[in-house]
Each structure stands twice: as C-alpha cells, then as structure tokens.
Amino acid sequence: MANLPIVYALSDSIGETAEMVARATASQFSSADIDIIRVPYINSAEQIAETVREAAKHTCVICHTLVSPDLREALQQQAKDYNIPTIDIMGPMIDAVQNVTGLVPRLKPGLVHKLDQEYFKKVEAVEFAVKYDDGKNPLGLLKADIVIIGVSRTSKTPLSMYLAYKKVKVANVPLVPEAPLPQELFQVPSQRIVGLVIDQFKLNEIRSERLKTMGLAPDASYANIERINEELEYARSIMRRLGCPIIDVSNKAIEETANRILDVVHKNKLANQ
C-alpha cells in the first residue's frame, strides 16, 4: 500500500461513506502519506471516464459506493483498461442482502442521507416540544405546526411528544381559569389549534390518582368535581372563542388522539399547497 499514495472515493451521492472507508483504511498505514480525493455526484459514464483518466496519472486505488449497476460496470471496465484496482463498497453488501432476503434493492443514490434528514427533523420536533411545553414560551405558538390546548391531565404533553416523533412541531398551553392566556394564542389560525376535552368523572379519577402518587390528599380542590366542571366550562368557552377543532379524549388512547391531530395537520398542509 506504500505504493498507493492516492485513494479516489467515488459516489453517485455526496460520497461521505466512500471517503470514510478510505480514511479508515489510510489510518492503518501510519508511515504512508495517502491522499484521499472525494468525487461525489457521479451520474454518467462520461464522468467516470474523465475521473479514471485523471486517476491513471497517479499511483492510486479507487473505492466507490455507486449503487447504479450501469455506473458500476462502467467504472469496472474503465479502471480495468488502465489497470487501476477498484473496491466496490456497496455492491457486495447489496447483492448479499438481496440473495438472503429475496428483496429487490431500490438502487437509488442518497437514501442514507434522506434518512438522516428525516432523523434530524424528528430531533428538531422533539426539542421544539420540550421547549414549548406547558405554555413555557408563548413565542413558540406562532412557530408550531399545531397548538394543543386543554385543562390539566388531558395528555397534552404525552401527545406533544408522540407527535414530535412523527416530525410534527407541537406547542401546548394549559387552560386554567385564573391564569391569563398568552395573546399569541389568539394570533394562531384556528385550524392550527386543537382543543382537548374530557369527561368530568374520568378527569376526577385521573387527578385523584395523580394526587395519590404525589402523596397528597385525594380531596384536594385539584380533583374536586365542582372545580373540574368549572375548568372544563372555561376551557370550552376558550375553544369556542378560538373556533378550533375539539377532541374528546375521555376513552381514547394517545395513538388514537394523535392520529386525529395528524389528520388536522395533513389537511392544513394540503390547504397551504
């Protein structure tokens, strides 16, 4: 390998994988000064021919992550004409998985990075949900894909996190009669707000259990039926004022409510296209 001072890393995408393998290989030869040249976004046999002609001027090896069979074949033939060794990083793995599973590969470049982008969208949505949970920062209401409102213990936070994993940016605001509402809430279009309501007795049961876990008396005003009715009536009045969709979460699982909200988000996206 001391006679191979240049490694060309070719790809029909951005070429990070090929370059990473090349650098990992070069690191095993501490006494060698191996140069690595990344050649990304190859989409034609002409590009391959030009790259191989340039590589032939040097002592080199070519590694690649080309997924197109035509491009792989073109590289193999061109490199053979110049007696340049090539390493196919992706091809053998794709063939092996296909043989074992019987599945047909998509053979589209850049899919890993598309998946990475989806992952980062999810992380961004989760961070958003944490930052704008429980009305912490009203500025988030104007940035959210959807704003969830409701009284305490209507699953606003669990819903926000669940939807965040679906890459939806969610802010939520608790509705408490004594607490003033942020003015930003009234600047959000009604179709981007979802109100949550719940049966009074169901909420009483949930709040009583919550008080027990906190070591507090179950007859505290937090779980008092009259207080709960007062809060629910206040919440409904705010929802009517906002003109937003309302979902009764009394006997719904988080997933079911989340799917209802996702329908709202989807309709909003269609309306804005």
Side-chain angles (χ1 to χ4, degrees), residues 65-81:
T65 55
L66 300 170
V67 297
S68 165
D70 292 339
L71 293 180
R72 278 189 276 165
E73 184 177 350
L75 175 59
Q76 187 177 6
Q77 184 57 53
Q78 291 281 343
K80 183 178 179 182
D81 291 344

Side-chain angles (χ1 to χ4, degrees), residues 32-268:
D33 184 16
I34 299 175
D35 192 15
I36 297 170
I37 299 176
R38 188 204 296 193
V39 186
Y41 301 116
I42 290 178
N43 57 26
S44 68
E46 290 74 19
Q47 285 178 283
I48 288 176
E50 181 181 348
T51 301
V52 172
R53 282 196 298 271
E54 177 61 29
K57 299 175 184 178
H58 311 280
T59 302
C60 69
V61 64
I62 296 175
C63 68
H64 69 90
T65 55
L66 300 170
V67 297
S68 165
D70 292 339
L71 293 180
R72 278 189 276 165
E73 184 177 350
L75 175 59
Q76 187 177 6
Q77 184 57 53
Q78 291 281 343
K80 183 178 179 182
D81 291 344
Y82 286 96
N83 200 30
I84 300 174
T86 64
I87 306 298
D88 184 349
I89 298 170
M90 291 281 286
M93 188 67 179
I94 290 174
D95 293 342
V97 172
Q98 183 176 8
N99 290 335
V100 169
T101 64
L103 299 173
V104 178
R106 285 180 283 181
L107 299 179
K108 292 182 180 179
L111 291 179
V112 167
H113 301 287
K114 182 178 179 181
L115 291 173
D116 285 347
Q117 289 173 4
E118 294 301 304
Y119 170 77
F120 287 118
K121 285 181 183 177
K122 184 184 297 184
V123 171
E124 184 180 2
V126 170
E127 291 176 345
F128 188 95
V130 172
K131 184 175 182 180
Y132 300 113
D133 180 45
D134 207 30
K136 287 177 185 173
N137 186 342
L139 294 178
L141 302 180
L142 302 175
K143 304 174 185 177
D145 295 322
I146 204 79
V147 176
I148 298 175
I149 60 175
V151 301
S152 174
R153 312 313 293 177
T154 49
S155 301
K156 296 185 300 298
T157 296
L159 275 168
S160 296
M161 297 306 300
Y162 184 95
L163 291 166
Y165 278 93
K166 300 290 184 180
K167 301 181 290 293
V168 178
K169 292 181 179 179
V170 185
N172 72 76
V173 177
L175 300 181
V176 182
E178 296 79 13
L181 289 169
Q183 288 304 306
E184 288 84 356
L185 179 61
F186 298 95
Q187 299 171 25
V188 179
S190 59
Q191 67 271 19
R192 280 174 41 204
I193 303 173
V194 171
L196 305 180
V197 296
I198 189 171
D199 176 77
Q200 57 188 2
F201 299 109
K202 181 70 174 179
L203 185 55
N204 168 259
E205 181 184 333
I206 293 171
R207 288 188 175 184
S208 295
E209 286 300 318
R210 175 63 174 164
L211 289 172
K212 287 179 183 178
T213 61
M214 296 172 66
L216 301 174
D219 57 351
S221 62
Y222 181 67
N224 180 273
I225 282 289
E226 290 183 3
R227 170 62 183 182
I228 287 174
N229 282 331
E230 179 186 349
E231 289 186 37
L232 289 173
E233 182 52 40
Y234 169 74
R236 289 189 179 94
S237 71
I238 295 298
M239 294 169 195
R240 287 194 296 267
R241 181 179 169 189
L242 292 168
C244 65
I246 299 174
I247 300 174
D248 189 333
V249 301
S250 302
N251 297 302
K252 289 183 176 65
I254 291 290
E255 295 82 359
E256 186 179 355
T257 305
N259 286 335
R260 291 277 302 277
I261 297 174
L262 286 171
D263 287 341
V264 174
V265 173
H266 181 63
K267 288 177 182 177
N268 290 341

